Structures are given as structure tokens and as C-alpha cells.
Amino acid sequence: MLGPMALEWEQIIVDSADPVALGRWWAEALGWVVVDESEEIIEIRPEPDRMPGLLFVPVPESKTSKNRLHPDFRPDDQEAEVARLLSLGARRVDSAQDGQQWVTLLDPEGNEFCVLGERKS
């Protein structure tokens, strides 16, 4: 019987029309650092030696539909964090509905992510 493989989650690849600009946006949004950058790619991480990171790479086609994978973030203050992200250039997808504990936003290239509300006990 085979046991589990030893895997380390290194990064998530993000396809982008302008990888460097989008990677810099996410670095600012998350408070992460740039660990590698060229004219075409950029990699960011929480800290230089801490994984996983995000690697932004160029693709010729534009985004055409909803992401199959998107990050959720849980800040200390949802309202303040949504306002901060909007001031950085994020756009709101929807407004909170009754009972909804998250706000869906789009990054500058239209990739969805959610800012969660307070954790329910």
C-alpha cells in the first residue's frame, strides 16, 4: 500500500495580460514581496523564503469567464479592507445580500476574489 507523497505547495500560476503590473498590484494588496521579476513574469510571496507564492505569467488571450479557482481572504475588518482594496483598483462584483458573509471583488484584470466577514463561532 502506498502512503501519501511528500508535496510542498510552491505557488499558484496566474495567467495575465500584464503580469508585472498585476503581480505588483497583488503584492501591494497582500503586503507580499517580489522575489523574482523579469520583463514578462513576476513572482510574489508572503516573505522571501515562505511559500506558497503567486507567479504571474503572460498569456495572449483575455479572461472570458468566471474563474474556476479564486482566493478568499478573512480580514480583521471586512468593511475597511474592502474600501482599501477598492482604493487600490479592485472592483465590486456584487453587493452583500441578506445573510451573505462575503464581498466578491475583481482585481484589475477581472479575476474574482472574496473578502470574508467575521468568522461565525
Side-chain angles (χ1 to χ4, degrees):
M1 183 167 160
L2 294 176
M5 298 286 294
L7 294 174
E8 180 180 7
W9 180 5
E10 182 151 334
Q11 61 198 6
I12 292 177
I13 308 300
V14 180
D15 293 344
S16 176
D18 187 347
V20 173
L22 189 60
R24 288 187 176 280
W25 186 89
W26 275 104
E28 185 173 358
L30 297 172
W32 288 15
V33 297
V34 174
V35 295
D36 188 23
E37 181 178 346
S38 73
E39 289 182 15
E40 292 191 339
I41 64 106
I42 186 169
E43 181 181 0
I44 65 172
R45 294 183 190 162
E47 297 170 11
D49 296 323
R50 190 168 146 218
M51 311 267 203
L54 296 171
L55 178 65
F56 298 82
V57 300
V59 294
E61 67 277 357
S62 61
K63 183 176 177 296
T64 58
S65 64
K66 185 177 184 295
N67 292 10
R68 298 290 299 261
L69 173 75
H70 76 258
D72 287 349
F73 302 101
R74 189 176 306 277
D76 293 335
D77 182 334
Q78 180 190 42
E79 186 177 331
E81 188 60 21
V82 168
R84 184 184 75 84
L85 291 164
L86 291 171
S87 77
L88 293 176
R91 293 170 292 152
R92 189 182 291 265
V93 170
D94 55 24
S95 57
Q97 299 174 2
D98 291 338
Q100 185 172 307
Q101 298 297 313
W102 65 89
V103 176
T104 304
L105 299 176
L106 301 174
D107 73 11
E109 290 198 12
N111 299 301
E112 298 91 0
F113 64 99
C114 292
V115 181
L116 305 175
E118 187 175 325
R119 187 179 308 276
K120 298 290 184 186
S121 307

